[in-house]
């Protein structure tokens, strides 16, 4: 097929190629890797956590303002991987939808409903000509009154699913392979084991040892269902436990 005839499939979001592919959606998945970050989510029997790298893009940037972890509601939060501006927009939309839901129904929007709503919106972007898919991937953890700690992943195509462990970013394939082996051995992990498994997975795929300032971890658990980030002191403690264990 000549370049002239295939260019339409390549550029337009609403036109399928003869093979049944939407190239712009595939390019959105590639845009996630442009950030150079890897993010991982792990769920245990009573807790769930997300971890990501913390890279400061410029020496002049105030490092306190750089984060990829966001609180959506009191009991749910997410880690964003991919284009920063697109990530901020998706988090803003998630907070809006959660606030609207609470206003309408009188109780907090469950994590699975937030993920489903964001996936529905993301899918609509793949079939509207004047819009484009978001170049970011959302991994959400949250605590549900009925289901306990939950972990969900939403991708640019508008697909969402619950996971025991998942990843996004440049080392996604390697992370998933590592997590499959770990989860197969022990799927009912405690809160401390969940955090250490997430750190170990990220450390393994990047072949690097971390300082507390180089990673971010967000967690929810049955004992403390409020979404929160681990402090540097807590990160240092977990890194020391992992180092002693190895």
């Amino acid at each position: 097929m000549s370049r002239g005839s295939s260019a339409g499939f390549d550029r337009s979001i609403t036109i399928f190629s003869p093979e049944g592919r939407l190239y712009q959606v595939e390019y959105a998945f590639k845009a996630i890797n442009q950030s150079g970050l890897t993010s991982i989510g792990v769920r245990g029997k009573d807790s769930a956590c997300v971890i990501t790298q913390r890279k400061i893009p410029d020496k002049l940037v105030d490092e306190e303002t750089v984060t990829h972890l966001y609180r959506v509601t009191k009991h749910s939060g997410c880690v964003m991987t991919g284009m920063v501006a697109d990530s901020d927009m998706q988090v803003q939309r998630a907070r809006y939808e959660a606030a609207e839901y609470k206003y309408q129904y009188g109780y907090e929007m469950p994590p699975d409903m937030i993920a489903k709503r964001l996936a529905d919106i993301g899918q609509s972007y793949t079939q509207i000509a004047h819009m484009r898919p978001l170049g970011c991937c959302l991994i959400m953890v949250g605590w549900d009154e009925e289901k306990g700690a939950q972990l969900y992943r939403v991708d640019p195509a508008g697909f969402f699913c619950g996971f025991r462990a998942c990843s996004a970013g440049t080392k996604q394939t390697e992370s998933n392979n590592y997590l499959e082996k770990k989860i197969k051995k022990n799927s009912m992990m405690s809160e401390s084991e969940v955090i250490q498994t997430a750190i170990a997975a990220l450390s393994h795929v990047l072949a690097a040892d971390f300082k507390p300032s180089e990673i971010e971890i967000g967690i929810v658990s049955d004992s403390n269902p409020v979404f929160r980030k681990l402090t540097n002191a807590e990160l240092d403690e977990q890194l020391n436990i992992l180092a002693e264990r190895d």
Side-chain angles (χ1 to χ4, degrees), residues 23-226:
Y23 287 111
Q24 288 297 315
V25 177
E26 292 180 21
Y27 297 157
F29 280 90
K30 290 183 179 179
I32 295 169
N33 299 332
Q34 295 303 311
S35 64
L37 299 176
T38 301
S39 304
I40 291 171
V42 181
R43 175 167 64 91
K45 65 177 180 181
D46 59 2
S47 60
C49 86
V50 283
I51 181 173
T52 189
Q53 298 164 263
R54 192 161 183 263
K55 288 184 179 178
I56 311 302
D58 194 312
K59 290 181 181 178
L60 297 176
V61 171
D62 180 4
E63 61 184 41
E64 294 298 317
T65 64
V66 177
T67 183
H68 299 285
L69 284 180
Y70 302 89
R71 175 180 283 189
V72 179
T73 67
K74 184 179 179 181
H75 297 109
S76 62
C78 64
V79 60
M80 301 299 302
T81 314
M83 298 171 70
V84 177
D86 284 13
S87 299
D88 287 344
M89 184 261 170
Q90 189 163 35
V91 170
Q92 188 178 3
R93 184 62 186 262
R95 288 171 175 166
Y96 167 79
E97 294 292 338
E100 187 71 20
Y101 186 96
K102 188 170 185 180
Y103 176 76
Q104 231 176 351
Y105 300 106
Y107 64 95
E108 196 172 283
M109 194 174 190
D112 62 318
M113 291 298 294
I114 298 173
K116 183 180 186 303
R117 179 62 182 148
L118 291 177
D120 289 345
I121 294 166
Q123 197 280 331
S124 70
Y125 292 167
T126 69
Q127 57 186 48
I128 300 173
H130 66 267
M131 303 184 87
R132 65 167 176 81
L134 296 173
C136 59
C137 181
L138 176 146
I139 298 177
M140 169 172 280
V141 292
W143 184 82
D144 187 283
E145 285 185 12
E146 296 177 359
K147 301 176 183 176
Q150 297 292 299
L151 174 68
Y152 293 94
R153 182 177 183 272
V154 182
D155 66 29
F159 174 78
F160 92 100
C161 198
F163 286 88
R164 287 186 292 170
C166 63
S167 62
T170 51
K171 298 284 186 180
Q172 179 179 328
T173 307
E174 295 90 333
S175 301
N176 286 345
N177 291 338
Y178 180 88
L179 290 166
E180 278 174 19
K181 294 172 187 172
K182 286 290 181 183
I183 297 296
K184 192 175 181 181
K185 291 179 185 175
N186 182 14
S187 61
M188 301 297 285
M189 293 180 281
S190 65
E191 184 177 338
S192 183
E193 287 173 327
V194 164
I195 295 169
Q196 286 165 31
T197 299
I199 296 172
L202 194 61
S203 180
H204 175 80
V205 297
L206 296 173
D209 294 323
F210 298 117
K211 299 174 186 173
S213 60
E214 293 173 343
I215 54 173
E216 290 182 297
I217 295 179
I219 188 164
V220 291
S221 63
D222 287 356
S223 59
N224 184 7
V226 176

